[in-house]
Amino acid sequence: MEPISGAYDPKTTEAELYKKWEASGYFNPDNLPVSQTKNYVVYMPLPNVTGTLHMGHALNNSFQDIVIRSHRMRGYRTLYLPGTDHAGIATQFVVEKKLKKEGINKFDLGREKFIGKIWEWKNEYGNIIYDQLRKLGVSCDWSRVRFTMDENYAKDVKKAFVHYHDKGLLYRGYRTVNWCPRCGTSLSDLELEYKEEQSKLYYIHYGPFTLATTRPETKFGDTGLAVNPKDGRYKDYVGKELEIESLSTEGSLDVPAKKKNKIIVVADDAVDMEFGTGIVKVTPAHDLVDFEIGTRHNLPLVQVIDETGRMTERAGKYAGMKTAEAREKIVEDLKATGLLEKEEEYAHNLAVCYRCGHAIEPIPSKQWFLKMDSLAKTALESVKSGRVKINPENFEKPYTAWLENIKDWTVSRQIWWGHQIPVWFCKNQKEFEIKNQKSNLKNEEGYVVSMEKPEKCPFCKTCEMEQSPDVLDTWFSSALWPFAGLSESDLKKYYPGTTLITARDIINLWVARMIYSGTEFMGQEPFRNVLIHGTILTKDGKRMSKSLGTGIDPLKYIEQFGADATRFGIVWQATGQDIRWDETAITAGKKFANKIWNASRFVLTQIGDELFPTNIPEPKTEADKIILEAFTKVKESSVRDIDAFEFSKALHDLYDFFWHDFCDVYLETAKLQAADDATKTSTKHMLVFILRESLKLLHPFVPFVTEEIYQRFPFPEKKVFLMVETLV
RNA sequence: GGGCGCUUAGCUCAGCUGGUUAGAGCGACUCGUUUACACCGAGUAGGCCGGGGGUUCGAAUCCCUCAGCGCCCACCA
């Protein structure tokens, strides 16, 4: 090792080393010279191809690489499975936005060409992501990299759909669903976000009652009134059909008018007696709760808002208005006709699309739903039984809470980018006319659920059947990630996995769904441990996100300080709580890499070409004894901490040992001991031993600098890479 | 409305199955260029551990309460 330069320069080492590692084939567990019995498998939480990786991904992948590298060095057959997610709505949205800037509208392009554009995007960003991961130094098996829309993966997705359908868990229904008018698609409950909104609570005269609503524009879709069954105030009205005076949809917009309607009063537990006047209008078509009330009491479904968020013909003279506009006009007219009693300021949470932020409009729509009862039970049992451990345990709560109150999952989406559902329609069968909200359509619509397009249409016997244009919720396919697209032999060898490391925001969206999917299709849970780590926030405690402009590309740090320093800085801070990002930790990492480099230069210069056995040296002096004891202690604790997912603690202890015990104290003493013939050889032996073993312990955290030094290390029986050395 | 978490040095955080002078990184200050490293070494300063109450021989650590901050879930229209 040339003693010339003082400072360690990651630029001259990292890229080269990564190439060598990759070329060695050791990222692929099939090539590891290890026992065939002990597996350690990590399925990478697949980054979305919506853009590039940020610090959160860097944290996530640093953690995963630590457990992988640590176990690889402990003789496990380690697989770190990489990939990316097509991320349906999210990716479609960003590409739409990009095209819009170029003046292109997706409808002008048409479905096929638009999807082509998304593929171009995917290829570009997918590659950037893989490059970022390589630069970070993560040791995943690139020979097995998958994308959720790969051919084999897509096949497994279809298979799952057909399986659920054949099992009776997947059904088509006409129901009120969450709808994003901007994206033009249905959304699941988990794809909503809530934004606090200052709005008004309107008290409207409704026959003999006054009731409170925030959405007067939906009133033309009201098909009932509901009260709590225990509410004595309205007892006598329950079950009665009343004639009430309300706003007319007829005539001119300039002349507000009233007309008489008939409406039924029902009693339902969902009604809160304390809120407003304790009586509520039921609009089954435009409110999810109302839909349920409507279903329970057989109330008709009247749609007054369409897929674009505008009032339908049923709203008469208000038709064509956007809901916000209609609300304003209707409130005005209610006032004019004396139907509005009062309005109050009211803060409430507005549901918005988690991708584009547009307000959600519940509307009735024909969709595919997955029955969740039995699957949720499966996922609950996996955790309750301890077969899957969630760490920290606190996160079991949101997991079980969600599963215990689950509703059926709307899995179909009306976008273009995604897995088109394997449903085939007869072209000649007239679509069944929906008369009400009843969801048991049977198969009067003329469709077939099957992997392949049926050769002959079973309905008309003549047509070329047409595939449904709907695609699947992107989470339907990512739920299959631990096994979809893997070869038979890989499934045998690498399923189930060991540890899943992820952030808390997708515990239900993804983790729960992987657990029941794995159990459903593979017969056992996809992993034993789930580690939920903190989120990286900005220095002032805000969420790091690209859309807020607060995100940071880890490459910025890697280029400036090196991957080791970046990983160090992240892990150093990632103690379990959310992290208010502090760049100085990376400075510390850079200094530490340099410290390791220089201490190694010193040791290697000391020993020259001399070879020392790899065994534990006999301590000859007090200093020898102290350093050996300290080493043994940190070796045990750091491995234990890694297994307990206490990466930051392990790193702090290793840092402390290496810098202070080894460098500050022992190295200085060793200089004296090496000058004394009586202890010269034993001291060098000790130096080499402690250094080499420390490099092994440090390698999972700072893989590059440790490997670079190891490559220059003279000792017998050396392996080709530190990466596959044995951490005994 | 429910759940979870946080409040410790100037900054970012450890410590919290209770026990000698409360730690780290970064920053500040003082010395130091003896042949690994100035991306260094030896030191120093800086904290009534958010407020109040309680349990205990003893609490940053356990309990209660108040205040502030953050996140998640939820069918108060």
Side-chain angles (χ1 to χ4, degrees), chain A residues 298-350:
Chain A
N298 217 17
L299 302 176
L301 203 61
V302 173
Q303 182 172 355
V304 295
I305 299 167
D306 69 12
E307 299 75 34
T308 63
R310 290 173 189 277
M311 305 307 289
T312 64
E313 295 305 317
R314 293 297 292 259
K317 61 187 180 186
Y318 302 102
M321 290 182 183
K322 284 260 183 189
T323 49
E325 193 187 336
R327 182 182 304 177
E328 224 170 278
K329 178 66 183 150
I330 288 165
V331 167
E332 200 180 288
D333 290 353
L334 284 167
K335 266 184 205 161
T337 51
L339 288 166
L340 185 75
E341 184 179 302
K342 59 171 176 176
E343 48 184 76
E344 284 175 357
E345 285 300 318
Y346 185 63
H348 81 303
N349 289 326
L350 179 72

Side-chain angles (χ1 to χ4, degrees), chain A residues 192-225:
Chain A
L192 309 185
E193 271 173 13
Y194 294 89
K195 210 168 68 182
E196 182 145 316
E197 189 200 45
Q198 206 41 245
S199 70
K200 297 237 167 77
L201 193 56
Y202 302 96
Y203 286 78
I204 301 174
H205 293 305
Y206 228 93
F209 319 112
T210 296
L211 56 78
T213 180
T214 53
R215 304 199 62 196
E217 72 277 14
T218 62
K219 73 186 305 300
F220 307 122
D222 295 351
T223 53
L225 292 171

Side-chain angles (χ1 to χ4, degrees), chain A residues 48-53 84 91 95 98 102 116-132 147:
Chain A
N48 292 343
V49 292
T50 42
T52 56
L53 302 184
T84 44
T91 311
V95 175
K98 184 192 155 219
E102 298 165 14
K117 288 279 180 197
I118 303 184
W119 275 106
E120 281 171 28
W121 171 282
K122 178 264 166 190
N123 289 334
E124 183 183 345
Y125 282 90
N127 286 332
I128 294 175
I129 288 168
Y130 294 145
D131 178 60
Q132 286 176 302
F147 175 58

Side-chain angles (χ1 to χ4, degrees), chain A residues 422-429 443 445-450 452-468:
Chain A
V423 174
W424 313 87
F425 282 95
C426 169
K427 277 185 202 158
N428 297 323
Q429 184 100 354
N443 196 351
E445 293 173 281
Y447 64 78
V448 172
V449 174
S450 122
E452 304 297 335
K453 177 169 152 181
E455 276 188 30
K456 196 172 166 191
C457 172
F459 301 98
C460 70
K461 322 282 185 201
T462 56
C463 78
E464 282 287 318
M465 294 194 87
E466 214 166 34
Q467 186 166 12
S468 164

Side-chain angles (χ1 to χ4, degrees), chain A residues 557 560-562 564-570 572-573 581-595 655 659:
Chain A
Y557 294 119
Q560 197 178 344
F561 302 103
D564 288 333
T566 304
R567 290 168 62 127
F568 179 103
I570 291 168
W572 183 262
Q573 295 183 71
W581 182 245
D582 180 14
E583 284 190 17
T584 64
I586 294 187
T587 312
K590 183 172 185 267
K591 288 182 176 182
F592 187 50
N594 191 237
K595 190 74 178 174
Y655 174 93
W659 198 302

Side-chain angles (χ1 to χ4, degrees), chain A residues 624-657:
Chain A
D624 287 354
K625 231 166 100 182
I626 291 171
I627 193 65
L628 198 56
E629 269 170 23
F631 167 76
T632 310
K633 206 176 136 201
V634 77
K635 179 174 132 180
E636 280 164 10
S637 73
S638 66
V639 170
R640 203 185 325 119
D641 288 341
I642 286 175
D643 288 345
F645 308 124
E646 306 257 21
F647 308 120
S648 183
K649 186 174 180 301
L651 180 59
H652 276 83
D653 289 347
L654 285 167
Y655 174 93
D656 200 48
F657 164 77

Side-chain angles (χ1 to χ4, degrees), chain A residues 126-178:
Chain A
N127 286 332
I128 294 175
I129 288 168
Y130 294 145
D131 178 60
Q132 286 176 302
L133 289 170
R134 285 184 167 94
K135 290 232 165 80
L136 191 64
V138 300
S139 57
C140 42
D141 183 359
W142 297 109
S143 73
R144 287 185 162 85
V145 67
R146 284 174 298 164
F147 175 58
T148 53
M149 277 173 52
D150 285 344
E151 204 180 317
N152 287 339
Y153 202 108
K155 208 169 141 194
D156 284 350
V157 171
K158 268 190 240 165
K159 226 189 265 176
F161 189 95
V162 174
H163 167 93
Y164 283 134
H165 177 261
D166 292 351
K167 206 173 166 178
L169 292 180
L170 192 70
Y171 61 93
R172 190 159 197 247
Y174 182 68
R175 304 166 130 208
T176 298
V177 297
N178 303 306

Side-chain angles (χ1 to χ4, degrees), chain A residues 38-42 64 67-68 71-72 76-80 494 497-499 501 528-529 642-643 645:
Chain A
K38 294 190 294 181
N39 263 13
Y40 202 98
V41 177
V42 170
Q64 292 172 111
V67 295
I68 282 292
H71 284 87
R72 186 184 293 120
Y76 284 78
R77 200 166 56 156
T78 49
L79 174 61
Y80 183 3
Y494 302 117
T498 314
T499 300
I501 303 181
R528 295 199 305 271
N529 306 298
I642 286 175
D643 288 345
F645 308 124

